[in-house]
Amino acid sequence: MAKTKPPTSTPDPKQSKYLKRSEIEAQREEAYRAEQAAAEKVRVEKALQKRKLEEDEAERKLIRDEKRRRMAEESQVRREEEEAREEAGRRRRLGLAPLPPAKGEGGDDTPVPVEEDIDEDELREKLRGLKEPVVLFAETHESRLKRYRALTAPRVEMSKGPVPTTLRLLPEAEMRIPEKMPAKGSEREHVFRQLGSYFTLVVTEWIRSLLQRDQEVKESNQGRQAWAAMEQSRENLKPLFRMFESGELKDEMLEPVMQIVRAAQARKYVDANNKYLELSIGKAAWPIGVVSVGIHARASRSRIGEERENVAHIMGDEISRRWLQAIKRCITYAQTRWPPDDQMQLMG
């Protein structure tokens, strides 16, 4: 038999030892696209997971806020009922007549006392004289009379100072805070006017000093921060002024505020700062490392923090914390506007 040569097969390009440059680029591009697709998928999954967590957190926050609001309303109702019971018991002990039942404030059909009622024709003439609509749609006589009372009620004039208030401000010579706590009545109202007048004076001088700066200083980052601090302090003082107007500032807060302002008026700013620290964080020692010393409970552990007068509660209230911080900023500015004679009284 004749020897025949085996048929030669064509080489497979995939099994070839060498690759073309175009094939290498195509493979690298394909791997890059696969890598980018995987990274994009991971990014989308993370974004969806983050969004879901944010939505869950927002839902939980909404539930917590609703629960807090409901608990606050229930607490207020219980407090009002307790105050009403105490007042009723006090009036019974004193032999006074019981108070009439409270009427709803929002209802338009609340009956008007006979001595305060006005005849319908006369009421319409009065509304015409005020150039107001005589009758509104579905308006009853009681609601029309309430509208007339609101239109003719005396308007409360607000001061034109940096913090608008209904307090009658005093001149600087009459702002000296007394040494003793004022009694209820006119003395207490006068102290509130003195405090409001002092903070109005400080904020007014603060604004004037900021406006007198050069334009370059005003437009600088530090200058804008100084103006923002003043604006924030002025805004945070408004709740304090509202308590001055209504007389609702408690004695445990009024007395330290009086001491702070009295020390600042005497240009004893270190003493004012010490009173500020006593009001904000209190005098009680912080029991760090004392409560859990060993495996056995200490005999006096239950009495730690028992002295209520030395524990500050003001930092637990956000509104009180803000106006207290505003007072601190006012005192800090006051020592630059009215520097002390004794340099040891300058705060650091």
Side-chain angles (χ1 to χ4, degrees), residues 64-111:
R64 288 197 301 269
D65 293 343
E66 179 64 22
K67 184 177 179 180
R68 290 196 190 99
R69 184 190 62 80
R70 187 172 62 253
M71 292 177 63
E73 291 178 354
E74 294 174 356
S75 176
Q76 182 178 2
V77 170
R78 288 195 300 268
R79 185 168 61 252
E80 291 176 354
E81 291 176 353
E82 182 66 23
E83 291 176 356
R85 285 195 297 268
E86 292 178 358
E87 179 65 18
R90 187 186 69 84
R91 297 181 73 86
R92 282 197 302 270
R93 289 193 302 270
L94 297 176
L96 301 176
L99 292 174
K103 301 177 182 179
E105 298 180 356
D108 288 339
D109 296 331
T110 305

Side-chain angles (χ1 to χ4, degrees), residues 33-59:
R33 290 178 179 175
E35 182 182 355
Q36 292 297 317
E40 179 66 18
K41 183 179 179 181
V42 172
R43 188 188 65 80
V44 171
E45 290 177 354
K46 288 184 178 180
L48 292 176
Q49 185 179 6
K50 181 180 178 182
R51 183 180 304 172
K52 186 176 183 303
L53 291 175
E54 290 177 352
E55 292 176 354
D56 294 343
E57 181 62 26
E59 185 177 358

Side-chain angles (χ1 to χ4, degrees), residues 121-141:
D121 296 336
E122 182 182 358
L123 179 59
R124 295 191 178 206
E125 290 296 330
K126 290 179 178 296
L127 289 172
R128 286 194 185 96
L130 295 174
K131 298 181 180 180
E132 292 290 333
V134 176
V135 179
L136 299 179
F137 179 74
E139 188 180 36
T140 62
H141 175 74

Side-chain angles (χ1 to χ4, degrees), residues 194-208:
Q194 289 177 322
L195 293 172
S197 303
Y198 176 76
F199 289 123
T200 300
L201 172 65
V202 174
V203 177
T204 302
E205 293 293 328
W206 194 357
I207 295 174
R208 182 180 295 112

Side-chain angles (χ1 to χ4, degrees), residues 4 34 37 68 177 198 236 239 244 309 322:
T4 60
R68 290 196 190 99
I177 303 298
Y198 176 76
N236 292 340
F244 288 162
E309 67 274 8
R322 290 181 179 180

